[in-house]
Amino acid sequence: MEWIIAVVVVVAIAALLFFFRSKKAPEGKATGESREEPTKRLERPANLRDSGAPPKAGPGAKAKAKGEKAEPAAKAEPAPAKKAPTPPPVAEELSQTDLAPADSVRPEAAKPAKRDVAGIRKGLAATRTGFIARLTALFVGKKEIDPAILEQIEEVMLTSDVGVKTTQTVLERLREKLNRNELADPEAVWAELRAEAMRILSLDGGPLRFPTKPSVAMMVGVNGVGKTTTIGKLATKYAGEGKSVLLAAGDTFRAAAVAQLEVWGKRVGAEVVKGKEGSDPGAVAFEATTKAKEAQIDLLLVDTAGRLHTKTPLMDEIKKVRKTIAKAMDGAPHEILLVLDATNGQNALSQAALFKEALDPTGIILTKLDGTAKGGIVLGICDELKLPVRYIGLGERAEDLREFYPDEFVEALFGKPDEEARAA
Ligand SMILES: Nc1nc2c(ncn2[C@@H]2O[C@H](COP(=O)(O)OP(=O)(O)OP(=O)(O)O)[C@@H](O)[C@H]2O)c(=O)[nH]1
């Protein structure tokens, strides 16, 4: 009997325990409550309520759905949110979430703009129908290469202003390859001519550099080659890119040159520093450099005379201008650009030699290439003087001044338009 009572007591205690446990379980909503808490918290902030946004579909929820950090939801946690946060600009938002890291984007952005071979080719139309068409004609209908072709190539090169020295160098290299049977067909010779042009033109050139503020570039060259026009074109280009530009009318001997510069200045919104007619060009250059320094101008372009009406030789006068610029600013001028007129042919080559010796220019601007059928001059200049062509002039409009890139130029000159169209 006793043990029956004991069993009943134990069963009763067990039943009581079970009863209390199961009573506690609903209280155990505390566990569930902790899961529901964020929702409740999202409902709380005034900002979310005021915005009328459905409480559970806040930014945090969206982020969670995307598997991202629920940062905004956490931020919405404090009840006393004073003001609805302004949404970040779309770009900013994208940069935080959807865009690739900056580093992976940069190389793409740094890619040079697509080159305009077709545009350059158009500007070189006269040379293509002259020099290049004459070269091409030598290969028409030929399957094999006869060594006599070298003489014909020589004749075309010499009469296209390539110059004696450069022509001889190129022919010598062609002859060696022919002797080694390395040039079996016309295509191989053409490819070799292209490669020679590329080798000759590949000097350390490129467009103007801006090492400091101001960067001072001085244009030199004989009269009529296009110095003033080129300054106007460069001013247009760089002002268009957002750079501040100042012009110095260093050709004080020709009133028309000052007026011409003023027209360009007005057009691009660049101030022109000038002196009285016949005044010291060095003084104008000094004043302009000082002004450019004080005003922290990006680019100062200094025009110089091409012919003087004084007894001072031209080179001495230009050297004086260079010296006064250097007095006004250490390290200036940063560029001395020799402007040559492509239509001057072999004269351009001899001018270049004189200017190189006297002034050690940093590069060449070859103008009026649109006006000659003998564009071979560019090869002669680069090969003989080892001076890089930096820009070429293909017409009178501002946009006709082009930065010079050897690969683009060689393609425009030697390439076949249909090949290029296929490559594009
Ligand atoms: N077709 C063509 N004409 C050009 C080019 N560059 C300049 N010219 C023209 O060449 C002529 C002479 O240009 P200027 O800029 O006056 O020459 P400059 O060297 O300043 O002459 P000086 O002041 O006498 O030393 C102008 O009619 C220009 O329009 C070019 O690339 N192509």
Side-chain angles (χ1 to χ4, degrees):
M1 186 64 190
E2 277 176 348
W3 67 268
I4 292 175
I5 292 170
V7 168
V8 169
V9 169
V10 168
V11 169
I13 288 169
L16 269 174
L17 273 174
F18 179 76
F19 174 76
F20 280 114
R21 276 251 171 113
S22 59
K23 247 208 134 188
K24 257 195 169 179
E27 275 170 20
K29 267 183 191 163
T31 339
E33 200 175 75
S34 70
R35 270 201 306 272
E36 282 177 38
E37 188 62 20
T39 312
K40 282 191 177 171
R41 281 173 187 165
L42 279 172
E43 284 171 3
R44 237 176 271 140
N47 56 339
L48 291 178
R49 279 203 307 272
D50 294 347
S51 70
K56 284 179 192 171
K62 246 189 181 175
K64 264 191 177 156
K66 278 178 147 189
E68 292 159 9
K69 271 203 252 166
E71 194 61 30
K75 270 186 190 157
E77 215 171 317
K82 293 159 214 147
K83 215 181 151 213
T86 325
V90 174
E92 196 179 304
E93 209 172 348
L94 282 176
S95 72
Q96 287 164 8
T97 57
D98 302 315
L99 288 180
D103 272 349
S104 68
V105 171
R106 219 169 278 140
E108 187 61 32
K111 260 191 191 168
K114 196 172 180 292
R115 307 265 167 92
D116 178 23
V117 175
I120 305 279
R121 174 171 292 139
K122 217 166 144 197
L124 294 174
T127 289
R128 275 184 62 90
T129 49
F131 174 36
I132 298 300
R134 287 174 61 215
L135 265 185
T136 317
L138 302 179
F139 301 97
V140 173
K142 291 207 169 73
K143 290 245 179 323
E144 285 174 12
I145 290 298
D146 174 355
I149 202 172
L150 289 183
E151 271 172 41
Q152 295 168 308
I153 294 177
E154 180 178 29
E155 203 248 321
V156 173
M157 287 177 84
L158 287 175
T159 51
S160 299
D161 283 337
V162 175
V164 178
K165 209 168 149 221
T166 308
T167 302
Q168 294 313 330
T169 313
V170 172
L171 283 176
E172 199 45 50
R173 292 164 73 102
L174 279 178
R175 194 168 288 123
E176 277 170 22
K177 294 212 166 185
L178 270 176
N179 291 343
R180 290 202 300 263
N181 291 324
E182 286 173 20
L183 304 173
D185 52 36
E187 263 99 57
V189 180
W190 193 255
E192 193 54 29
L193 281 168
R194 258 182 89 133
E196 278 297 305
M198 194 63 200
R199 178 187 63 78
I200 290 169
L201 298 176
S202 296
L203 300 168
D204 187 21
L208 277 183
R209 293 165 199 124
F210 294 86
T212 176
K213 261 192 183 192
S215 290
V216 184
M218 194 177 156
M219 300 294 141
V220 300
V222 303
N223 67 301
V225 290
K227 296 182 295 296
T228 314
T229 309
T230 299
I231 286 181
K233 290 171 174 176
L234 285 171
T236 307
K237 173 181 164 54
Y238 289 110
E241 286 176 14
K243 292 198 158 40
S244 50
V245 179
L246 183 69
L247 308 178
D251 183 356
T252 57
F253 299 96
R254 198 169 70 89
V258 181
Q260 205 179 326
L261 208 61
E262 283 184 309
V263 170
W264 280 107
K266 219 173 253 165
R267 209 181 278 175
V268 304
E271 193 187 333
V272 179
V273 177
K274 58 181 183 177
K276 283 200 185 102
E277 195 176 338
S279 64
D280 178 14
V284 173
F286 188 88
E287 188 192 330
T289 310
T290 310
K291 200 165 200 163
K293 241 170 77 176
E294 282 167 6
Q296 284 289 285
I297 292 288
D298 291 312
L299 178 63
L300 167 63
L301 293 164
V302 183
D303 198 8
T304 61
R307 185 197 296 135
L308 298 175
H309 305 283
T310 63
K311 286 196 177 121
T312 322
L314 179 67
M315 293 302 175
D316 290 348
E317 190 68 49
I318 301 175
K319 277 184 192 168
K320 236 173 83 187
V321 173
R322 180 179 66 180
K323 227 167 153 184
T324 50
I325 292 174
K327 251 192 221 164
M329 181 183 182
D330 277 345
H334 308 93
E335 300 268 12
I336 299 179
L337 293 164
L338 172 59
V339 184
L340 295 172
D341 177 342
T343 65
N344 282 347
Q346 292 304 292
N347 278 342
L349 203 61
S350 39
Q351 282 163 27
L354 285 174
F355 275 92
K356 184 177 181 190
E357 202 189 323
L359 293 156
D360 197 17
T362 53
I364 284 171
I365 298 182
L366 192 58
T367 63
K368 309 187 199 180
L369 258 171
D370 53 311
T372 178
K374 305 176 173 186
I377 184 70
V378 63
L379 297 171
I381 289 171
C382 287
D383 187 50
E384 287 199 29
L385 297 147
K386 299 287 179 274
L387 273 176
V389 173
R390 310 281 295 274
Y391 297 87
I392 48 174
L394 298 174
E396 292 187 85
R397 298 168 312 166
E399 61 270 31
D400 293 329
L401 185 77
R402 302 299 189 99
E403 291 171 0
F404 181 83
Y405 298 103
D407 56 345
E408 183 182 45
F409 186 82
V410 168
E411 177 57 40
L413 206 56
F414 290 87
K416 292 184 192 136
D418 51 333
E419 266 174 21
E420 186 202 316
R422 274 202 301 276

